[in-house]
Amino acid sequence: MPTAVEFWFEFASSYSYPAALRIQAAADRAGVAIAYRPFLLGPIFREQGYESSPFVQYPAKGRYMWRDLERICAIHGIAFRKPSSFPRTSVLGARLVAAYADEEWVPGFVRALYRANFESDRDIDDAAVVRECLAASVADADARIAAAQAEPLKQRLRDNTTRAAALGLFGAPSFRVGDARSGYELFWGNDRLDEALAWALGRHALQR
Amino acid sequence: MPTAVEFWFEFASSYSYPAALRIQAAADRAGVAIAYRPFLLGPIFREQGYESSPFVQYPAKGRYMWRDLERICAIHGIAFRKPSSFPRTSVLGARLVAAYADEEWVPGFVRALYRANFESDRDIDDAAVVRECLAASVADADARIAAAQAEPLKQRLRDNTTRAAALGLFGAPSFRVGDARSGYELFWGNDRLDEALAWALGRHALQR
């Protein structure tokens, strides 16, 4: 049984969009389990000394990113429209996934919320948008939303973000393979999805 | 005849190393010409507000980069040793390539100087190291070194750096396909080498 791959993502993150849309199907094909790990980039960026998203702070990098993302989505056949507001996160969406990470509706909900932002240009910080995406997957959306916003479940997103910093994550999407005991690998960026899956299967050129 | 791909690189740039070692063979196989465009990242980074290399300014990003580079080199069968000093540039090497970009010794010299830094941990800012790499490729190394450090040839590296900023480049390696008249595409990062070559051949998912 191959080790699971942790998928660390933030709903605001542009390059997380194609990764989020592709990862479950790619992992199913490879026979690798995915552990969904939403976190917030804001505290991570602030700790590193960024004042905003690098794509906002460095405009040339931001201009490039939007064109690159357009090309990447075309390659993978993913619908894409540049959001009219960026970065646009969803704390509620991230709390829901952090609270219920192992439930089977999570992959579909993650895809739906990313598509709301990067395909349909909807405000994913609006609770009504989140509820709509969730209600498409589960019967008791309102109960889960209420529980995810209250302790003890609310704490899980904060824990994820603290853990992301401790693991050395600095951006999203990131993939983590392995564990602290026997050593782990980090892979950063949508470009590294296939490599992370290959690493989980032991198919890699470099032995530790 | 496909359009040439401009290869924008900086000798200090870590991710430019695997790109520099791979690009000529990949381009030859694809039937695409490469235009070598060395530039200096220092002025570009300063203009964007960085205080140093992003890999120095953001330590988590730097730690990740070295491990990622090790994995990339293993995948491509490229020898790699982490340099004892980073970033380590070669203004003389960049001046030589900018001055003589179209001469046939350039691809071999570029590879030799990158290997000196990232395989052999040698100080590529040392004129003796540059001379040794150049002398392996041309008979009149000393004459070219003298000419590259005097006007009018010396100006060419400055011109390249000014042009890199004007084109919207913000890092290295970068690849540019097309021209200002009919539109051009930028591709940033060693990961994008194959995509840039495919674009030059008209094999891409997205039409402008």
Side-chain angles (χ1 to χ4, degrees):
Chain A
M1 184 68 187
T3 179
V5 170
E6 290 177 357
F7 172 39
W8 290 85
F9 60 96
E10 139 79 92
F11 280 110
S13 158
S14 51
Y15 281 117
S16 294
Y17 170 56
L21 263 62
R22 300 190 302 129
I23 193 168
Q24 196 58 56
D28 290 349
R29 276 195 304 273
V32 172
I34 298 297
Y36 285 77
R37 297 286 181 264
F39 69 113
L40 297 182
L41 273 173
I44 305 266
F45 283 157
R46 276 193 296 277
E47 199 174 299
Q48 291 174 52
Y50 288 102
E51 289 153 32
S52 175
S53 159
F55 298 129
V56 173
Q57 187 163 343
Y58 305 112
K61 198 166 188 158
R63 280 190 296 274
Y64 173 80
M65 178 274 287
W66 290 115
R67 177 60 175 167
D68 191 42
L69 189 59
E70 193 178 7
R71 292 188 305 230
I72 288 169
C73 289
I75 286 172
H76 293 294
I78 294 170
F80 169 71
R81 192 200 313 177
K82 184 182 169 183
S84 54
S85 172
F86 179 84
R88 184 194 268 157
T89 194
S90 176
V91 175
L92 174 55
R95 281 184 181 153
L96 279 161
V97 177
Y100 298 103
D102 298 329
E103 300 203 353
E104 67 182 20
W105 51 267
V106 162
F109 171 69
V110 168
R111 289 192 294 270
L113 200 54
Y114 269 108
R115 293 180 60 191
N117 191 3
F118 292 101
E119 177 181 339
S120 308
D121 192 19
R122 301 185 70 188
D123 180 5
I124 58 169
D125 202 29
D126 179 343
V129 173
V130 176
R131 192 196 175 286
E132 187 184 315
C133 292
L134 186 62
S137 304
V138 293
D140 55 348
D142 291 326
R144 283 174 201 271
I145 287 173
Q149 296 192 98
E151 300 301 352
L153 292 183
K154 186 180 171 186
Q155 180 63 26
R156 292 199 182 167
L157 177 60
R158 285 193 292 261
D159 291 346
N160 275 10
T161 301
T162 303
R163 181 141 178 76
L167 290 172
L169 300 191
F170 53 91
S174 292
F175 312 97
R176 179 172 175 263
V177 186
D179 54 44
R181 196 166 40 85
S182 55
Y184 63 85
E185 294 287 321
L186 297 178
F187 299 89
W188 172 53
N190 170 67
D191 293 328
R192 289 290 187 281
L193 169 56
D194 292 336
E195 202 178 332
L197 295 174
W199 198 279
L201 294 168
R203 297 181 192 138
H204 51 81
L206 193 62
Q207 293 288 347
R208 290 183 69 88
Chain B
M1 183 66 187
T3 178
V5 169
E6 291 177 355
F7 172 40
W8 290 84
F9 61 95
E10 140 77 92
F11 279 110
S13 158
S14 51
Y15 281 117
S16 294
Y17 169 56
L21 262 62
R22 299 190 303 129
I23 193 167
Q24 196 59 55
D28 291 348
R29 277 194 302 273
V32 173
I34 299 296
Y36 285 76
R37 298 285 182 263
F39 70 113
L40 297 181
L41 273 173
I44 305 265
F45 283 156
R46 275 193 296 278
E47 198 174 300
Q48 290 175 53
Y50 287 102
E51 289 153 30
S52 175
S53 159
F55 298 128
V56 174
Q57 187 163 342
Y58 304 111
K61 199 166 188 159
R63 279 190 297 273
Y64 173 80
M65 178 273 287
W66 290 116
R67 177 60 175 167
D68 191 41
L69 189 59
E70 193 179 7
R71 291 188 307 229
I72 290 169
C73 288
I75 286 171
H76 293 294
I78 294 170
F80 168 70
R81 192 200 313 179
K82 183 182 168 183
S84 54
S85 171
F86 178 84
R88 186 193 266 155
T89 194
S90 176
V91 175
L92 174 55
R95 279 184 183 153
L96 279 161
V97 177
Y100 297 104
D102 298 330
E103 301 203 354
E104 65 182 24
W105 52 268
V106 162
F109 170 71
V110 168
R111 288 192 295 270
L113 201 55
Y114 270 108
R115 292 180 61 191
N117 191 1
F118 291 101
E119 179 182 339
S120 308
D121 191 20
R122 301 185 69 187
D123 181 5
I124 59 168
D125 201 30
D126 178 344
V129 173
V130 176
R131 192 195 175 285
E132 187 183 316
C133 293
L134 186 62
S137 304
V138 293
D140 55 348
D142 290 326
R144 284 173 202 269
I145 287 171
Q149 296 192 98
E151 300 300 353
L153 292 184
K154 186 181 170 185
Q155 179 64 28
R156 293 199 183 168
L157 178 60
R158 285 193 292 260
D159 291 346
N160 276 10
T161 301
T162 303
R163 181 142 179 74
L167 289 172
L169 300 191
F170 53 91
S174 292
F175 312 96
R176 180 172 175 262
V177 185
D179 55 44
R181 195 167 40 85
S182 54
Y184 63 85
E185 293 287 323
L186 297 178
F187 298 88
W188 173 51
N190 170 68
D191 294 328
R192 289 290 189 280
L193 169 55
D194 292 336
E195 201 177 333
L197 294 174
W199 198 280
L201 293 168
R203 298 180 191 139
H204 51 80
L206 193 64
Q207 293 288 350
R208 287 184 68 87

